[in-house]
Structure formats: C-alpha cells, structure tokens
Amino acid sequence: EAAVTQSPRNKVAVTGGKVTLSCNQTNNHNNMYWYRQDTGHGLRLIHYSYGAGSTEKGDIPDGYKASRPSQENFSLILELATPSQTSVYFCASGDWGGSSYEQYFGPGTRLTVL
Amino acid sequence: AQKVTQTQTSISVVEKTTVTMDCVYETRDSSYFLFWYKQTASGEIVFLIRQDSYKKENATVGHYSLNFQKPKSSIGLIITATQIEDSAVYFCAMRSNMGYKLTFGTGTSLLVDP
C-alpha cells in the first residue's frame, strides 16, 4: 500500500519565524510534490522534485524553499513565515509511466501563522 | 500554460441517482493526461480515474466513468448509483505528457442525500 506521511499535522507559527514541514514516502517514487490548498483555489503546486538532491519551482514558489535530501524525504521550508501562508499543505509522490500515473497524497498539514 | 476550470461549486443529489460533474481544460500540448481526485471530509485525497488524451474510449472504474469530449476540451466525471459516502469534493486535474506537474481545478463539492 502506497504511503505518504507528513509531520507535523498541525502547526501554529509566529510571523517571521521559520517553519519546516516534513514529508516521507515509502513508495520509492522518484517525484515528490508540495501543494497548498486554499478555499477557491484548489491545490496549487509550490515545489517539486525529480529525485534526491533536486528541487524545482512550481507555480507559487515565492516565500518557500524545498529540500530533498533522500528518495524518501522532501521538506518545505518557510524561512520567514507570514500570515498569508496560513493554509493546508499537502505532500504527494508519484512516478510516470507503466501502470502508475497518479499521485499519492499525504494527510495534510494545517499551518496557522499568527 | 495549462488551465483547468470547474464551474460547478457544489451539487446536491439524492442517493442512488446519477450525477455529472463538469471540467474543461486548456493546453497547447498534443498529448496529455486527465485525472479526477476525490477529497473526503477528513481531508484525504485519493485518485479516482484517468483519461489518456490519445484514447477515444471513455475510461470507467467501478461506478465512476468519464465523458471525454476532446474537441470541446471537456472531461466530465459521471457517478452512477450514488452513495452517501460519495459525498466529497471532486477535483479535476491534468498533466502534459512531457511534464511532471499536475494542474488542478478548484473542485466541486458533492452532497449525496438519503
């Protein structure tokens, strides 16, 4: 069974503080993704990775950094958190080709920046 | 750039009836993939069904099927014999055959009443 886990599940941060959201996958997928979900916007891609050591900017990367130290782990980093980054963040993993085209999503992290 | 539009914000149906959710997309790519995902009340996001742009036949999985109208850039999701547990938010998404990114629509909330 595909598995993507995220930590923490809930986080309250202060404006200007540093926040790190972590994601772990046991699917052995090459690709990993970070999305944020806001009412009226659906899921928007922040950063993604093709494999360990790589990170790429998605559609809304400003204010976020990403790190992929290993095949299994992908982190999203908010160096200076702002209230506009209050959202629900989802990590996903996936590979393209063969019988596997879909992405598998983690349970989400609810981040509140005060 | 790709764009996915879901104009139906919410739909309410009676259990055991059939519902159709609309989705239109924009792309310059000649080959692409279209997906539908379901987000349950708990926040879990799961893959439902996929349509490959080069296939003329509509995809079907269980009580989910697609109405793919390529000339209209439309990919509707049809759920037959709806059940209470089908109540969720449904997202349409697409990916180019040459890319790694998924572009999501804003979602349609489905409520199935007994």
Side-chain angles (χ1 to χ4, degrees):
Chain A
E1 182 74 25
V4 180
T5 56
Q6 295 181 229
S7 63
R9 294 294 312 278
N10 290 281
K11 172 75 176 179
V12 178
V14 296
T15 297
K18 182 177 181 179
V19 176
T20 300
L21 306 182
S22 300
C23 177
N24 177 274
Q25 55 110 351
T26 58
N27 309 320
N28 199 32
H29 287 153
N30 289 316
N31 306 324
M32 296 187 73
Y33 308 81
W34 275 106
Y35 296 90
R36 64 178 283 177
Q37 184 177 28
D38 305 286
T39 303
H41 289 281
L43 289 156
R44 293 182 291 173
L45 182 65
I46 306 170
H47 284 287
Y48 61 105
S49 169
Y50 299 127
S54 86
T55 60
E56 301 290 336
K57 293 181 179 180
D59 298 321
I60 53 165
D62 293 346
Y64 302 93
K65 293 183 179 179
S67 174
R68 181 88 182 269
S70 65
Q71 179 83 340
E72 299 80 17
N73 296 293
F74 190 37
S75 297
L76 185 68
I77 304 155
L78 291 66
E79 295 278 4
L80 295 170
T82 68
S84 65
Q85 294 175 313
T86 293
S87 186
V88 180
Y89 292 85
F90 286 93
C91 176
S93 74
D95 270 339
W96 305 122
S99 62
S100 175
Y101 286 84
E102 64 267 30
Q103 291 185 7
Y104 295 88
F105 283 81
T109 295
R110 184 173 296 276
L111 173 66
T112 302
V113 182
L114 302 176
Chain B
Q2 298 175 335
K3 185 178 180 181
V4 177
T5 302
Q6 295 178 254
T7 56
Q8 299 161 303
T9 304
S10 64
I11 301 174
S12 182
V13 299
V14 175
E15 190 180 16
K16 301 180 183 178
T17 61
T18 295
V19 64
T20 299
M21 283 176 262
D22 301 328
C23 175
V24 294
Y25 58 91
E26 297 176 22
T27 183
R28 295 182 179 180
D29 298 316
S30 58
S31 180
Y32 47 90
F33 302 96
L34 300 162
F35 305 84
W36 280 89
Y37 285 81
K38 172 184 178 181
Q39 184 172 33
T40 64
S42 66
E44 182 184 18
I45 300 172
V46 295
F47 164 75
L48 292 179
I49 191 169
R50 180 187 97 237
Q51 179 76 40
D52 301 343
S53 64
Y54 60 87
K55 291 186 177 180
K56 293 185 178 181
E57 57 272 20
N58 292 318
T60 297
V61 175
H63 75 144
Y64 302 107
S65 61
L66 298 177
N67 179 18
F68 181 40
Q69 300 183 60
K70 194 170 183 179
K72 295 184 178 181
S73 296
S74 171
I75 183 72
L77 174 68
I78 304 166
I79 306 176
T80 57
T82 51
Q83 303 162 9
I84 301 295
E85 51 266 35
D86 290 324
S87 296
V89 178
Y90 291 81
F91 291 97
C92 178
M94 74 175 303
R95 179 182 77 83
S96 166
N97 187 42
M98 300 301 294
Y100 291 84
K101 301 192 301 180
L102 273 181
T103 300
F104 283 84
T106 52
T108 297
S109 177
L110 174 66
L111 177 63
V112 181
D113 292 317

